[in-house]
Amino acid sequence: MPLSLHAAYVPSALQMLGTANHLIDTAEKWCADNACEHSEFIGARVFDDMLPWSYQVKCVAEHTQGSIEGVRKGVYSPDLNPPPTSFDDLRTKLAGATEFMSALTEDEMEAMIGQPMRFEFKDRGMDFTAEDFLLSFSQPNFYFHCATAYNILRMKGVPVGKADFMGRVRIKT
């Protein structure tokens, strides 16, 4: 039996949403244990020209829930609103995306296959099918932003490892 679009996309999206939430919890605990302000993480960047940690976490939600909302509309444009400015607000953003992704059905996802999909950003655009958008654009984006959030924690000295990034893997039961 071929792998469904739902199976190829949704479990991985949920895994990275869980990882992003774990990274928030880890950053918050680090702040409490080391008497540092939450803002040290909220605004932290690997390089000055990169977007801050809070934006990286926000984008995990944007490229999961937001991508499906985009497929439903036939067009996706990144949300350029400022990211949440607190750990709790970031958790709320991720919780909404997790609830949204958990409610997707295999039938709905399979019905998306072949639908035209357009990515638009400023004066640029790219045309996709829904499945190619989700698997070749959106999925790499949610991994990228989650990995960048992880890397910022490492850069700030938080003792996280590969298991903290991997999150809940889908083992045979």
Side-chain angles (χ1 to χ4, degrees), residues 139-162:
Q139 193 169 58
N141 265 288
F142 67 68
Y143 281 116
F144 170 84
H145 290 291
C146 200
T148 302
Y150 165 89
N151 289 329
I152 291 171
L153 292 188
R154 290 285 295 147
M155 178 193 73
K156 298 293 280 178
V158 178
V160 291
K162 186 188 273 187

Side-chain angles (χ1 to χ4, degrees), residues 50-91:
M50 290 181 74
L51 292 163
W53 185 79
S54 58
Y55 185 87
Q56 306 303 328
V57 173
K58 169 193 166 189
C59 281
V60 178
E62 292 299 325
H63 285 286
T64 55
Q65 178 180 352
S67 68
I68 298 297
E69 291 171 339
V71 168
R72 287 176 175 168
K73 290 187 272 187
V75 64
Y76 175 82
S77 294
D79 175 6
L80 300 178
N81 289 314
T85 58
S86 73
F87 291 151
D88 285 340
D89 289 345
L90 286 166
R91 278 191 197 92

Side-chain angles (χ1 to χ4, degrees), residues 30-64:
W30 174 261
C31 286
D33 292 348
N34 293 279
C36 72
E37 296 296 320
H38 293 184
S39 61
E40 286 191 38
F41 292 98
I42 295 292
R45 302 165 191 257
V46 175
F47 292 102
D48 289 340
D49 67 350
M50 290 181 74
L51 292 163
W53 185 79
S54 58
Y55 185 87
Q56 306 303 328
V57 173
K58 169 193 166 189
C59 281
V60 178
E62 292 299 325
H63 285 286
T64 55

Side-chain angles (χ1 to χ4, degrees), residues 5 13 29 45 47 52 55 61 70 72-73 85 108 118 124 127 129 131 133 137 143 157 161 165 170-173:
L5 181 58
K29 183 177 183 325
R45 302 165 191 257
F47 292 102
Y55 185 87
R72 287 176 175 168
K73 290 187 272 187
T85 58
E108 179 183 6
R118 182 160 176 83
R124 296 179 298 189
D127 293 311
T129 60
E131 66 274 20
F133 170 73
F137 183 85
Y143 281 116
F165 175 80
R170 299 178 298 276
I171 59 174
K172 183 179 177 180
T173 56

